[in-house]
């Protein structure tokens, strides 16, 4: 939750118990100085929250960092980055989606109009067809969304990422490990 963003909802991560202890990160847009809150619901139903005051501004309405035509040409290109894993040992992985993630608040300097919203809505990451992470996102997730996480492969297999955006375009990538 990003308190002072135009839409405070940022993302909802559904994590599989298969992950065990996990480190997870992503990038977000922050419109102005605000508290950012992470709320976790544990398997037993208990809720836990941490918050941090963040000094940042302009992220929600800032123009995209890349040329619009180039960003749309790369739309949906994906990467799965990780070192060669060892079965039974934790490994860090990163899924990156090339997507401008327009939130409807950016202003096009040439046309003098707002750019229509077009952003990633869902990211699902599976290992050997078992769901590890499902992320439902809002407009606060950054341009070129990235999810970095740790997991422990129990057997050799395939890590798969599936993405759906707000225009019902879908993108997928598999990596055999």
């Amino acid at each position: 939750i990003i308190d002072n963003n135009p839409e405070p909802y940022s993302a909802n991560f559904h994590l599989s118990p298969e992950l065990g202890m996990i480190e997870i990160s992503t990038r977000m847009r922050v419109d102005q100085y605000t508290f950012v809150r992470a709320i976790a619901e544990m398997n037993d139903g208990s809720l836990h929250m941490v918050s941090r005051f963040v000094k940042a501004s302009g992220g929600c309405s800032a123009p995209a960092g890349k040329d619009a035509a180039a960003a749309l040409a790369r739309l949906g290109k994906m990467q799965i980055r990780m070192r060669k894993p060892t079965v039974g040992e934790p490994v860090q992985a990163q899924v990156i989606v090339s997507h401008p993630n327009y939130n409807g608040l950016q202003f096009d300097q040439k046309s003098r109009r707002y750019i229509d919203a077009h952003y990633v809505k869902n990211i699902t990451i599976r290992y050997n067809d078992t769901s590890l992470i499902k992320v439902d996102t809002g407009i606060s997730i950054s341009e070129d969304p990235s999810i970095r996480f740790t997991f422990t492969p129990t057997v050799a297999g395939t890590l798969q990422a599936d993405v759906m955006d707000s225009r019902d375009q879908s993108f997928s990538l598999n990596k055999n490990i």
Side-chain angles (χ1 to χ4, degrees):
I1 306 293
I2 305 169
D3 287 4
N4 292 331
N5 266 10
E7 181 181 291
Y9 171 84
S10 176
N12 189 1
F13 287 79
H14 305 271
L15 306 176
S16 168
E18 301 274 329
L19 291 168
M21 293 292 289
I22 185 169
E23 292 179 27
I24 193 162
S25 65
T26 191
R27 298 183 305 249
M28 300 176 291
R29 289 185 170 111
V30 177
D31 193 46
Q32 58 185 301
Y33 288 22
T34 187
F35 277 98
V36 175
R37 303 172 194 280
I39 303 166
E41 181 177 3
M42 309 309 283
N43 291 334
D44 66 4
S46 63
L47 296 173
H48 303 271
M49 181 181 80
V50 295
S51 64
R52 176 154 306 172
F53 192 75
V54 175
K55 294 180 180 179
S57 65
C60 290
S61 59
K66 299 178 182 155
D67 174 84
L72 290 175
R74 291 196 38 77
L75 181 74
K77 302 271 193 248
M78 296 172 60
Q79 297 178 43
I80 297 176
R81 295 181 181 171
M82 62 190 301
R83 290 195 172 103
K84 183 167 176 54
T86 301
V87 171
E89 293 186 23
V91 64
Q92 187 176 78
Q94 182 179 20
V95 173
I96 305 167
V97 183
S98 188
H99 201 291
N101 251 24
Y102 297 132
N103 58 19
L105 302 173
Q106 291 103 344
F107 194 71
D108 183 331
Q109 296 296 322
K110 291 180 184 174
S111 71
R112 308 296 295 162
R113 296 193 167 153
Y114 287 98
I115 300 169
D116 289 337
H118 184 197
Y119 56 93
V120 169
K121 285 179 28 179
N122 306 100
I123 301 172
T124 302
I125 301 168
R126 292 191 300 273
Y127 185 65
N128 288 343
D129 292 325
T130 298
S131 179
L132 297 178
I133 301 170
K134 183 173 186 290
V135 186
D136 300 317
T137 64
I139 64 171
S140 294
I141 294 296
S142 72
E143 176 179 0
D144 298 332
S146 166
I147 306 292
R148 186 178 308 223
F149 61 100
T150 55
F151 79 106
T152 303
T154 55
V155 295
T158 303
L159 190 62
Q160 180 174 339
D162 298 305
V163 174
M164 176 73 70
D165 75 12
S166 62
R167 295 186 182 169
D168 292 330
Q169 294 175 288
S170 61
F171 316 101
S172 293
L173 182 66
N174 296 327
K175 181 170 183 137
N176 292 321
I177 55 175

